[in-house]
Amino acid sequence: MTAAELAIGLLEGEERAAALRRVLADPAFAREVESWRNRLAGLFDDYREVAAPDAVAVRLAAPVETSRPRSAWPILALATALAAAVALFVVVRPGPAPLPIPVVQPHRMMVASLMMTDKSTSVAALVDMTTGEMSIPDADMAPDGKSAELWMIGDDGVPKAMGLLAAQGASRMTLTSDQRRQLAAGVTLAVSVEPIGGSPTGKPTGPVVAAGKLSVA
C-alpha cells in the first residue's frame, strides 16, 4: 500500500521522505513503486496538461478541519484516485486515429501466344511481372517418357531455361528476380521436348514444339 501511495503521489512530509529512503535501501520496495508507476503512467500518455480551476486550488490550500485515522484514509484515498484515473481514461481518451487507406499497385502483366509448330493450336503463357507468377494452361506438349521445358530467347539469341512444364494439367511456376529482369516485350518463349527431368546440357536438345513472343497485356 505504501508503494502505491508513493507512486500516485499521496504521501507528504515525513511519510514521503521515509518512503523515498526505503526506495534507496529496499530494492524489492523500489521495484514495487516502479511497477505501480508503470501501471498508472499509461493512462495519461494521451492527454495534455490542463491547469486546475482557481476554486480547486483554493480548496486544496484550505486547512483540513478533521483527519481520518492513519489506518483508514490511505485505502480510501488510493481507491478514489484510481477511480478518478480510470474515469478520466474512459471518458476523455481520444478515439483511434483513422487507418491509412492502402494504395494498391496495379500488377504489370505480359502474355505470349505459344503457337504449336504444327499450327494446330496456340497456348497463352501469362506472366505477372509484379509477383513473378507464370501460368500456362494444359497443352500436352511432350509425349510419354519426355518432359516439356520452357526457354526464353532474348536479343542475344541464347536460350535460357525457365523450368519444366507439368506433365498433366496447367503449369505454374515462380520466376526468379533475374528471370524477371530479362523478360521484356519481344522476348521469345519456346517449349522443347527433353528427356525426363529436363535438358542435360542446359540448352535445348529436342525439337521445339511451340513458340511465341512476349507482349504487354
Side-chain angles (χ1 to χ4, degrees), residues 8 11 25 42 47 52 58 67 76 84 89 112 121 123 162 168:
I8 206 170
L11 298 183
Y47 312 114
V58 171
S67 61
L76 177 61
F89 179 74
T121 186
V123 178
M162 299 184 69
Q168 293 182 342

Side-chain angles (χ1 to χ4, degrees), residues 126-191:
L126 187 64
V127 185
D128 186 331
M129 297 296 289
T130 303
T131 65
E133 298 297 321
M134 184 174 193
S135 61
I136 301 175
D138 183 10
D140 191 21
M141 295 188 185
D144 292 341
K146 297 289 185 178
S147 292
E149 189 164 5
L150 181 67
W151 308 83
M152 72 168 79
I153 306 172
D155 294 338
D156 58 5
V158 178
K160 299 178 180 66
M162 299 184 69
L164 298 178
L165 302 186
Q168 293 182 342
S171 298
R172 292 180 175 83
M173 61 182 70
T174 301
L175 305 181
T176 66
S177 57
D178 185 58
Q179 288 174 327
R180 272 185 278 173
R181 281 194 297 269
Q182 297 180 64
L183 290 181
V187 169
T188 296
L189 299 185
V191 179

Side-chain angles (χ1 to χ4, degrees), residues 48-167:
R48 61 183 179 85
E49 294 185 0
V50 178
D54 293 339
V56 174
V58 171
R59 290 176 59 190
L60 291 175
V64 179
E65 298 180 358
T66 60
S67 61
R68 294 179 179 271
R70 179 65 181 84
S71 61
W73 76 265
I75 297 177
L76 177 61
L78 179 61
T80 302
L82 288 174
V86 173
L88 178 65
F89 179 74
V90 172
V91 173
V92 303
R93 181 186 182 186
L99 295 176
I101 300 175
V103 178
V104 179
Q105 298 294 339
H107 287 213
R108 190 164 67 94
M109 308 298 292
M110 301 193 75
V111 64
S113 179
L114 305 182
M115 178 64 68
M116 304 296 288
T117 53
D118 62 4
K119 308 297 184 182
S120 60
T121 186
S122 63
V123 178
L126 187 64
V127 185
D128 186 331
M129 297 296 289
T130 303
T131 65
E133 298 297 321
M134 184 174 193
S135 61
I136 301 175
D138 183 10
D140 191 21
M141 295 188 185
D144 292 341
K146 297 289 185 178
S147 292
E149 189 164 5
L150 181 67
W151 308 83
M152 72 168 79
I153 306 172
D155 294 338
D156 58 5
V158 178
K160 299 178 180 66
M162 299 184 69
L164 298 178
L165 302 186

